[in-house]
Short mmCIF file of all heavy atoms in Angstrom, two decimals:
data_model
loop_
_atom_site.label_atom_id
_atom_site.label_comp_id
_atom_site.label_asym_id
_atom_site.label_seq_id
_atom_site.Cartn_x
_atom_site.Cartn_y
_atom_site.Cartn_z
N SER A 1 -4.45 -3.26 -13.96
CA SER A 1 -3.55 -2.72 -12.80
C SER A 1 -4.06 -1.42 -12.31
O SER A 1 -4.19 -1.19 -11.05
CB SER A 1 -2.13 -2.63 -13.30
OG SER A 1 -1.58 -3.84 -13.74
N GLN A 2 -4.44 -0.52 -13.24
CA GLN A 2 -4.95 0.70 -12.78
C GLN A 2 -6.33 0.67 -12.05
O GLN A 2 -6.57 1.36 -11.12
CB GLN A 2 -5.10 1.68 -14.00
CG GLN A 2 -3.79 2.12 -14.58
CD GLN A 2 -3.97 3.08 -15.70
OE1 GLN A 2 -4.75 3.98 -15.74
NE2 GLN A 2 -3.11 2.88 -16.70
N HIS A 3 -7.21 -0.26 -12.61
CA HIS A 3 -8.45 -0.46 -11.92
C HIS A 3 -8.23 -1.04 -10.47
O HIS A 3 -8.98 -0.63 -9.56
CB HIS A 3 -9.32 -1.41 -12.65
CG HIS A 3 -9.84 -0.88 -14.00
ND1 HIS A 3 -10.48 -1.60 -14.95
CD2 HIS A 3 -9.76 0.40 -14.50
CE1 HIS A 3 -10.80 -0.86 -15.95
NE2 HIS A 3 -10.34 0.40 -15.64
N THR A 4 -7.27 -1.88 -10.31
CA THR A 4 -6.93 -2.39 -9.03
C THR A 4 -6.46 -1.25 -8.11
O THR A 4 -6.99 -1.17 -6.98
CB THR A 4 -5.80 -3.46 -9.19
OG1 THR A 4 -6.26 -4.44 -10.09
CG2 THR A 4 -5.40 -4.05 -7.79
N LEU A 5 -5.58 -0.42 -8.60
CA LEU A 5 -5.13 0.73 -7.77
C LEU A 5 -6.23 1.65 -7.48
O LEU A 5 -6.37 2.17 -6.34
CB LEU A 5 -3.94 1.37 -8.46
CG LEU A 5 -3.40 2.66 -7.83
CD1 LEU A 5 -2.78 2.29 -6.42
CD2 LEU A 5 -2.37 3.27 -8.66
N ARG A 6 -7.13 1.95 -8.43
CA ARG A 6 -8.24 2.84 -8.29
C ARG A 6 -9.12 2.47 -7.15
O ARG A 6 -9.47 3.24 -6.29
CB ARG A 6 -9.07 2.93 -9.61
CG ARG A 6 -10.28 3.74 -9.55
CD ARG A 6 -11.25 3.40 -10.66
NE ARG A 6 -11.73 1.99 -10.51
CZ ARG A 6 -12.36 1.37 -11.45
NH1 ARG A 6 -12.56 1.88 -12.70
NH2 ARG A 6 -12.80 0.11 -11.24
N ASP A 7 -9.49 1.15 -7.15
CA ASP A 7 -10.39 0.68 -6.13
C ASP A 7 -9.75 0.52 -4.66
O ASP A 7 -10.48 0.51 -3.78
CB ASP A 7 -11.05 -0.63 -6.52
CG ASP A 7 -11.97 -0.55 -7.68
OD1 ASP A 7 -12.22 0.63 -8.06
OD2 ASP A 7 -12.42 -1.59 -8.28
N CYS A 8 -8.47 0.43 -4.64
CA CYS A 8 -7.75 0.54 -3.34
C CYS A 8 -7.44 1.89 -2.91
O CYS A 8 -7.03 2.13 -1.71
CB CYS A 8 -6.51 -0.32 -3.43
SG CYS A 8 -6.65 -2.02 -3.70
N LEU A 9 -7.62 2.91 -3.78
CA LEU A 9 -7.17 4.30 -3.50
C LEU A 9 -8.46 4.94 -2.85
O LEU A 9 -9.33 5.57 -3.53
CB LEU A 9 -6.73 5.01 -4.69
CG LEU A 9 -6.32 6.50 -4.68
CD1 LEU A 9 -5.33 6.77 -3.46
CD2 LEU A 9 -5.61 6.86 -5.92
N GLN A 10 -8.47 4.96 -1.55
CA GLN A 10 -9.57 5.47 -0.78
C GLN A 10 -9.11 6.69 0.06
O GLN A 10 -8.42 7.52 -0.59
CB GLN A 10 -10.25 4.46 0.09
CG GLN A 10 -10.80 3.25 -0.67
CD GLN A 10 -11.94 3.59 -1.61
OE1 GLN A 10 -12.83 4.44 -1.29
NE2 GLN A 10 -12.03 2.94 -2.82
N THR A 11 -9.37 6.87 1.24
CA THR A 11 -8.83 8.02 2.05
C THR A 11 -7.37 7.74 2.39
O THR A 11 -6.67 8.61 2.99
CB THR A 11 -9.62 8.33 3.26
OG1 THR A 11 -9.96 7.11 3.93
CG2 THR A 11 -10.94 8.94 2.77
N CYS A 12 -6.91 6.47 2.19
CA CYS A 12 -5.49 6.17 2.17
C CYS A 12 -5.34 5.10 1.14
O CYS A 12 -6.28 4.65 0.43
CB CYS A 12 -5.04 5.66 3.57
SG CYS A 12 -5.69 4.02 4.00
N PHE A 13 -4.16 4.58 1.01
CA PHE A 13 -3.89 3.48 0.11
C PHE A 13 -4.21 2.12 0.83
O PHE A 13 -3.41 1.69 1.67
CB PHE A 13 -2.40 3.49 -0.41
CG PHE A 13 -2.09 4.42 -1.51
CD1 PHE A 13 -1.55 5.64 -1.28
CD2 PHE A 13 -2.53 4.13 -2.85
CE1 PHE A 13 -1.26 6.50 -2.25
CE2 PHE A 13 -2.29 5.05 -3.85
CZ PHE A 13 -1.71 6.29 -3.50
N GLU A 14 -5.43 1.61 0.66
CA GLU A 14 -5.78 0.40 1.33
C GLU A 14 -5.11 -0.77 0.68
O GLU A 14 -4.87 -0.72 -0.55
CB GLU A 14 -7.34 0.22 1.33
CG GLU A 14 -8.11 1.28 2.12
CD GLU A 14 -9.58 1.07 2.22
OE1 GLU A 14 -9.99 0.04 1.57
OE2 GLU A 14 -10.25 1.88 2.87
N ASP A 15 -4.84 -1.82 1.42
CA ASP A 15 -4.37 -3.05 0.81
C ASP A 15 -5.39 -3.74 -0.03
O ASP A 15 -5.10 -4.24 -1.13
CB ASP A 15 -3.73 -3.98 1.84
CG ASP A 15 -4.69 -4.47 2.85
OD1 ASP A 15 -5.72 -3.79 3.16
OD2 ASP A 15 -4.57 -5.63 3.38
N GLY A 16 -6.60 -3.70 0.46
CA GLY A 16 -7.65 -4.33 -0.34
C GLY A 16 -8.96 -3.76 0.16
O GLY A 16 -9.26 -3.68 1.36
N PRO A 17 -9.90 -3.37 -0.73
CA PRO A 17 -11.20 -2.76 -0.30
C PRO A 17 -12.17 -3.80 0.30
O PRO A 17 -13.10 -3.39 0.91
CB PRO A 17 -11.76 -2.13 -1.63
CG PRO A 17 -11.08 -2.90 -2.75
CD PRO A 17 -9.79 -3.28 -2.20
N ARG A 18 -11.84 -5.08 0.09
CA ARG A 18 -12.68 -6.11 0.77
C ARG A 18 -12.02 -6.60 2.03
O ARG A 18 -12.69 -6.76 3.10
CB ARG A 18 -12.70 -7.36 -0.19
CG ARG A 18 -13.28 -8.60 0.41
CD ARG A 18 -13.50 -9.66 -0.61
NE ARG A 18 -13.80 -10.99 -0.18
CZ ARG A 18 -14.19 -11.99 -0.99
NH1 ARG A 18 -14.38 -11.61 -2.27
NH2 ARG A 18 -14.49 -13.17 -0.51
N ARG A 19 -10.67 -6.75 2.12
CA ARG A 19 -9.90 -7.14 3.27
C ARG A 19 -8.44 -6.98 2.96
O ARG A 19 -8.05 -7.41 1.89
CB ARG A 19 -10.22 -8.65 3.47
CG ARG A 19 -10.03 -9.30 4.85
CD ARG A 19 -9.31 -10.59 4.83
NE ARG A 19 -7.88 -10.39 4.69
CZ ARG A 19 -7.22 -10.75 3.63
NH1 ARG A 19 -7.80 -11.37 2.61
NH2 ARG A 19 -5.96 -10.44 3.53
N ASP A 20 -7.72 -6.26 3.79
CA ASP A 20 -7.96 -5.76 5.19
C ASP A 20 -8.51 -4.42 5.36
O ASP A 20 -8.70 -3.97 6.45
CB ASP A 20 -6.58 -5.88 5.99
CG ASP A 20 -5.99 -7.31 6.02
OD1 ASP A 20 -6.78 -8.30 6.20
OD2 ASP A 20 -4.81 -7.43 5.80
N ARG A 21 -8.67 -3.69 4.21
CA ARG A 21 -9.11 -2.39 4.25
C ARG A 21 -8.27 -1.46 5.15
O ARG A 21 -8.83 -0.53 5.83
CB ARG A 21 -10.60 -2.37 4.74
CG ARG A 21 -11.55 -3.23 3.91
CD ARG A 21 -12.83 -3.49 4.61
NE ARG A 21 -13.64 -2.34 4.92
CZ ARG A 21 -14.76 -2.04 4.45
NH1 ARG A 21 -15.38 -2.86 3.56
NH2 ARG A 21 -15.45 -0.93 4.79
N ARG A 22 -7.06 -1.62 5.15
CA ARG A 22 -6.15 -0.79 5.90
C ARG A 22 -4.79 -0.56 5.18
O ARG A 22 -4.58 -1.11 4.14
CB ARG A 22 -5.91 -1.38 7.27
CG ARG A 22 -5.07 -2.74 7.30
CD ARG A 22 -5.05 -3.47 8.60
NE ARG A 22 -6.34 -3.92 8.97
CZ ARG A 22 -6.57 -5.07 9.65
NH1 ARG A 22 -5.58 -5.79 10.06
NH2 ARG A 22 -7.75 -5.50 9.89
N LEU A 23 -3.96 0.22 5.75
CA LEU A 23 -2.74 0.74 5.12
C LEU A 23 -1.59 -0.24 5.62
O LEU A 23 -1.30 -0.30 6.77
CB LEU A 23 -2.52 2.14 5.59
CG LEU A 23 -1.18 2.79 5.29
CD1 LEU A 23 -1.01 2.87 3.77
CD2 LEU A 23 -1.12 4.24 5.86
N TRP A 24 -0.91 -0.78 4.65
CA TRP A 24 0.31 -1.61 4.92
C TRP A 24 1.57 -0.99 4.21
O TRP A 24 1.38 -0.54 2.99
CB TRP A 24 0.12 -3.07 4.51
CG TRP A 24 -0.75 -3.88 5.28
CD1 TRP A 24 -2.17 -3.91 5.16
CD2 TRP A 24 -0.47 -4.68 6.34
NE1 TRP A 24 -2.61 -4.89 6.16
CE2 TRP A 24 -1.64 -5.34 6.84
CE3 TRP A 24 0.78 -5.13 6.92
CZ2 TRP A 24 -1.65 -6.22 7.85
CZ3 TRP A 24 0.78 -5.99 8.03
CH2 TRP A 24 -0.45 -6.56 8.49
N VAL A 25 2.69 -1.04 4.79
CA VAL A 25 3.86 -0.41 4.25
C VAL A 25 4.23 -1.17 2.93
O VAL A 25 4.58 -0.54 1.87
CB VAL A 25 5.05 -0.55 5.18
CG1 VAL A 25 6.30 0.04 4.45
CG2 VAL A 25 4.83 0.32 6.38
N GLY A 26 4.17 -2.50 2.94
CA GLY A 26 4.65 -3.20 1.67
C GLY A 26 3.74 -2.98 0.45
O GLY A 26 4.23 -2.80 -0.63
N ASP A 27 2.46 -2.86 0.74
CA ASP A 27 1.51 -2.54 -0.36
C ASP A 27 1.74 -1.13 -0.68
O ASP A 27 1.77 -0.83 -1.94
CB ASP A 27 0.09 -2.71 0.14
CG ASP A 27 -0.24 -4.16 0.51
OD1 ASP A 27 0.10 -4.49 1.64
OD2 ASP A 27 -0.91 -4.83 -0.28
N LEU A 28 2.00 -0.20 0.22
CA LEU A 28 2.14 1.18 -0.05
C LEU A 28 3.19 1.44 -1.02
O LEU A 28 3.10 2.26 -1.97
CB LEU A 28 2.30 2.01 1.21
CG LEU A 28 2.68 3.46 1.04
CD1 LEU A 28 1.50 4.17 0.35
CD2 LEU A 28 3.01 4.19 2.39
N ARG A 29 4.38 0.83 -0.86
CA ARG A 29 5.44 1.06 -1.78
C ARG A 29 5.11 0.79 -3.23
O ARG A 29 5.41 1.61 -4.12
CB ARG A 29 6.68 0.24 -1.37
CG ARG A 29 7.96 0.71 -2.20
CD ARG A 29 8.83 -0.43 -2.77
NE ARG A 29 9.72 0.15 -3.69
CZ ARG A 29 10.39 -0.57 -4.64
NH1 ARG A 29 10.22 -1.85 -4.69
NH2 ARG A 29 11.10 0.04 -5.50
N LEU A 30 4.46 -0.34 -3.45
CA LEU A 30 4.06 -0.65 -4.86
C LEU A 30 2.92 0.23 -5.37
O LEU A 30 2.87 0.65 -6.55
CB LEU A 30 3.65 -2.15 -4.96
CG LEU A 30 4.78 -3.09 -4.54
CD1 LEU A 30 4.37 -4.54 -4.80
CD2 LEU A 30 6.13 -2.80 -5.16
N GLN A 31 1.97 0.59 -4.46
CA GLN A 31 0.88 1.47 -4.88
C GLN A 31 1.46 2.91 -5.20
O GLN A 31 1.03 3.50 -6.20
CB GLN A 31 -0.12 1.58 -3.68
CG GLN A 31 -0.95 0.40 -3.52
CD GLN A 31 -1.79 0.59 -2.26
OE1 GLN A 31 -1.20 0.54 -1.18
NE2 GLN A 31 -3.12 0.56 -2.34
N ALA A 32 2.44 3.29 -4.35
CA ALA A 32 2.94 4.64 -4.66
C ALA A 32 3.69 4.71 -6.03
O ALA A 32 3.55 5.64 -6.77
CB ALA A 32 3.94 4.99 -3.51
N LEU A 33 4.48 3.68 -6.25
CA LEU A 33 5.16 3.62 -7.63
C LEU A 33 4.12 3.63 -8.79
O LEU A 33 4.31 4.37 -9.74
CB LEU A 33 6.03 2.38 -7.69
CG LEU A 33 7.30 2.32 -6.75
CD1 LEU A 33 7.90 0.96 -6.92
CD2 LEU A 33 8.27 3.42 -7.18
#
């Protein structure tokens, strides 16, 4: 779980570093927690 978050944690919380490589509210809530 931490490795997943680590690789999505770039200059924002990306939804996925492969795709979509952008910031989504739904993903952000779980990433932030």
Side-chain angles (χ1 to χ4, degrees):
S1 297
Q2 290 181 41
H3 290 172
T4 304
L5 179 60
R6 175 200 66 193
D7 290 352
C8 292
L9 182 46
Q10 300 295 322
T11 49
C12 72
F13 281 101
E14 295 183 0
D15 61 331
R18 167 170 170 171
R19 205 222 80 247
D20 298 316
R21 301 164 62 118
R22 69 190 66 146
L23 170 63
W24 287 88
V25 176
D27 299 79
L28 174 61
R29 190 224 164 197
L30 302 187
Q31 287 172 295
L33 291 174

